[in-house]
């Protein structure tokens, strides 16, 4: 990974650096398309193989038929494109967790305004215990928050702020027992490439991911899986030639599968790059083995933070994945400005990020993170805390 030279990188939840082979795959795809001739008869079989090959690979990762996979630019568009095509009725309620990303929340607020819907909240951001306690609390709170008007639940798979995981399959089963069987939209921005995703992706109605975070693929390419029942009821709202069964006069209408939510021309070399990144991850073991390797470093970091005076992790237990969020106090005991900490660490060649809600620091460990890098970060935090 060229971007990792001379630095310690802990921001995989923001953007994962491209591996050299993925960068080469992108360049080779650009060259191939030019050699074949853009928009020539010869180029289309290559483009179709590149796109369909990635669709099949992602379908395998998601544990669903490839026909349920649509390509998007990013997580937000993957959430929004199928969502806006559902048959909403005035007075429907959107139950949204208090740990969702601002981009998705803004889209939900606009959806509610246009269709006279009501947004209610499900509290999960404060859940800082182990998986069993978290699952039990989510179940109790969800039961209390559901009403006869609830039509949608929005809940992330891996919370981008605290690093806690949510029991998506159990939540889906709970929603299935509700008289209206509300839709389940899962923001999986932090999941693909980080967690095993098949169980959650198979349970959700909308499961939206991106390739540029934990997959270490190129920015500008994401994917969404949609349920069979959503395909029956949701119509595309942003429409282009890729939404159609036939691109031309007398078209047969929209694709019957998830491709109806694709719009128009995408950058084919990005597909080649993401496909290469996924293959590199597969070579490191299955999803469970990769998560275990990710957690080895995140637990090392979490345990090290417990030993530092003035540092408080958001989770009271070791992290279930690779996200570790925390606050720290300075020499006088005051909470340090996370932006100042990030800047000072960056000057030393160590990169993580700040979050606004809650106001904290977030460090992410991945397969390529080393024990020495974690110890270096801990030592740098000690120096900053003592001035």
């Amino acid at each position: 990974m060229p971007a990792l030279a001379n630095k310690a990188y802990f921001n995989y939840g923001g953007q994962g650096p491209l591996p050299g082979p993925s960068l080469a795959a992108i360049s080779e795809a650009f060259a191939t398309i030019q050699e074949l001739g853009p928009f020539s008869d010869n180029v289309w079989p290559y483009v179709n193989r590149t796109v369909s090959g990635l669709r099949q690979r992602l379908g395998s990762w998601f544990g669903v038929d490839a026909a349920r996979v649509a390509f998007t630019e990013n997580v937000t568009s993957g959430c929004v494109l199928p969502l806006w095509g559902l048959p909403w009725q005035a007075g429907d309620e959107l139950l949204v967790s208090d740990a969702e990303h601002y981009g998705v929340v803004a889209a939900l607020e606009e959806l509610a305004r246009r269709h006279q819907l009501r947004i209610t909240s499900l509290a999960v951001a404060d859940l800082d215990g182990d998986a069993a306690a978290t699952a039990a609390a989510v179940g109790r709170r969800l039961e209390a928050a559901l009403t006869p008007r609830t039509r949608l639940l929005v809940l992330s798979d891996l919370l981008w702020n605290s690093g806690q995981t949510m029991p998506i399959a159990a939540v889906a089963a709970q929603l299935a027992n509700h008289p209206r069987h509300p839709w389940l939209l899962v923001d999986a921005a932090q999941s693909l490439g980080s967690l095993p995703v098949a169980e959650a992706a198979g349970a959700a109605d909308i499961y939206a991911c991106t390739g540029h975070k934990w997959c270490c693929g190129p920015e500008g390419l994401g994917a969404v899986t949609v349920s069979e029942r959503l395909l029956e009821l949701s119509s595309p709202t942003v429409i282009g030639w890729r939404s159609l069964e036939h691109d031309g006069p007398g078209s047969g209408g929209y694709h019957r599968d998830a491709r109806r939510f694709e719009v128009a021309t995408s950058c084919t070399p990005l597909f080649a790059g993401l496909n290469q990144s996924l293959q590199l991850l597969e070579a490191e073991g299955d999803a469970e083995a990769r998560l275990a390797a990710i957690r080895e470093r995140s637990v090392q970091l979490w345990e090290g933070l417990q030993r530092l005076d003035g540092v408080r992790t958001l989770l009271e237990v070791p992290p279930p994945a690779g996200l570790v969020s925390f606050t720290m106090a300075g020499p006088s005991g005051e909470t340090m400005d996370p932006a100042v900490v990030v800047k000072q660490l960056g000057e030393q060649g160590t990169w993580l990020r700040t979050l606004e809600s809650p106001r904290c620091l977030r460090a992410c460990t991945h397969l390529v993170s080393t024990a020495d890098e974690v110890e270096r970060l801990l030592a740098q935090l000690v120096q900053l805390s003592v001035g």
Side-chain angles (χ1 to χ4, degrees):
M1 290 179 166
L4 299 187
N6 304 315
K7 64 177 69 70
Y9 191 76
F10 294 98
N11 197 19
Y12 297 94
Q15 183 159 342
L18 269 174
S22 303
L23 185 59
I26 294 171
S27 298
E28 291 166 7
F30 271 117
T32 298
I33 289 170
Q34 296 307 310
E35 291 164 4
L36 293 172
F39 222 78
S40 68
D41 288 344
N42 293 331
V43 80
W44 294 114
Y46 171 77
V47 170
N48 290 336
R49 284 197 307 273
T50 303
V51 174
S52 63
L54 180 57
R55 197 188 305 273
Q56 290 289 339
R57 172 161 270 110
L58 284 171
S60 176
W61 278 53
F62 292 134
V64 303
D65 191 283
R68 288 174 54 187
V69 178
F71 289 113
T72 62
E73 287 184 314
N74 44 52
V75 173
T76 307
S77 58
C79 290
V80 172
L81 290 174
L83 176 70
W84 280 69
L86 288 170
W88 302 104
Q89 298 179 353
D92 284 346
E93 292 180 357
L94 313 179
L95 180 56
V96 184
S97 99
D98 63 349
E100 300 309 306
H101 193 275
Y102 319 122
V104 175
V105 172
L108 294 166
E109 290 173 345
E110 180 62 16
L111 178 72
R113 186 188 70 81
R114 294 192 188 189
H115 292 280
Q116 294 80 53
L117 312 178
R118 180 170 177 259
I119 295 179
T120 59
S121 181
L122 175 67
V124 298
D126 64 318
L127 297 176
D128 56 8
D130 62 26
T134 297
V138 170
R140 291 192 302 271
R141 294 178 183 188
L142 177 58
E143 189 63 32
L146 290 169
T147 77
R149 302 295 299 176
T150 305
R151 198 68 187 96
L152 172 78
L153 171 64
V154 181
L155 182 64
S156 292
D157 197 359
L158 173 57
L159 302 187
W160 73 293
N161 27 37
S162 71
Q164 186 64 280
T165 51
M166 293 288 103
I168 297 299
V171 164
Q174 193 169 350
L175 293 178
N177 292 323
H178 185 277
R180 298 192 71 189
H181 193 177
W183 310 104
L184 175 57
L185 186 160
V186 177
D187 180 334
Q190 302 297 333
S191 305
L192 188 65
S194 170
L195 299 175
V197 297
E199 183 179 48
D205 292 295
I206 301 172
Y207 192 85
C209 304
T210 185
H212 76 265
K213 295 180 185 288
W214 295 90
C215 293
C216 296
E219 63 268 34
L221 181 59
V224 58
T225 68
V226 291
S227 66
E228 295 291 349
R229 69 175 187 141
L230 184 138
L231 282 172
E232 293 178 4
L233 293 176
S234 184
S235 300
T237 50
V238 179
I239 299 162
W241 62 267
R242 277 173 64 190
S243 313
L244 305 173
E245 285 188 323
H246 171 66
D247 172 24
S251 66
Y254 302 129
H255 283 295
R256 298 183 182 183
D257 58 24
R259 289 175 296 170
R260 71 175 61 182
F261 300 112
E262 298 176 358
V263 183
T265 305
S266 294
C267 182
T268 301
L270 300 184
F271 290 73
L274 179 54
N275 194 50
Q276 180 62 62
S277 290
L278 294 179
Q279 290 182 67
L280 291 171
L281 287 171
E282 290 170 357
E284 296 298 320
D286 62 19
E288 293 287 353
R290 295 196 301 270
L291 177 59
I294 290 170
R295 289 195 71 240
E296 185 174 0
R297 296 282 77 82
S298 67
V299 170
Q300 177 192 354
L301 175 57
W302 183 90
E303 290 178 344
L305 292 172
Q306 307 310 308
R307 298 191 292 268
L308 302 187
D309 292 337
V311 171
R312 185 186 70 83
T313 55
L314 267 60
L315 295 183
E316 291 189 348
V317 296
L323 274 67
V324 182
S325 295
F326 60 98
T327 61
M328 60 183 296
S332 303
E334 77 287 356
T335 300
M336 297 184 68
D337 184 346
V340 172
V341 176
V342 166
K343 184 176 186 300
Q344 292 176 333
L345 288 173
E347 292 170 350
Q348 301 177 56
T350 299
W351 295 98
L352 38 76
R353 68 162 292 178
T354 64
L355 299 181
E356 294 183 17
S357 181
R359 189 170 176 77
C360 66
L361 295 144
R362 188 186 74 183
C364 303
T365 64
H366 207 339
L367 295 173
V368 295
S369 303
T370 68
D372 286 345
E373 288 174 335
V374 171
E375 292 304 320
R376 172 182 166 184
L377 171 58
L378 291 169
Q380 290 169 333
L381 293 174
V382 169
Q383 290 300 314
L384 293 178
S385 67
V386 300

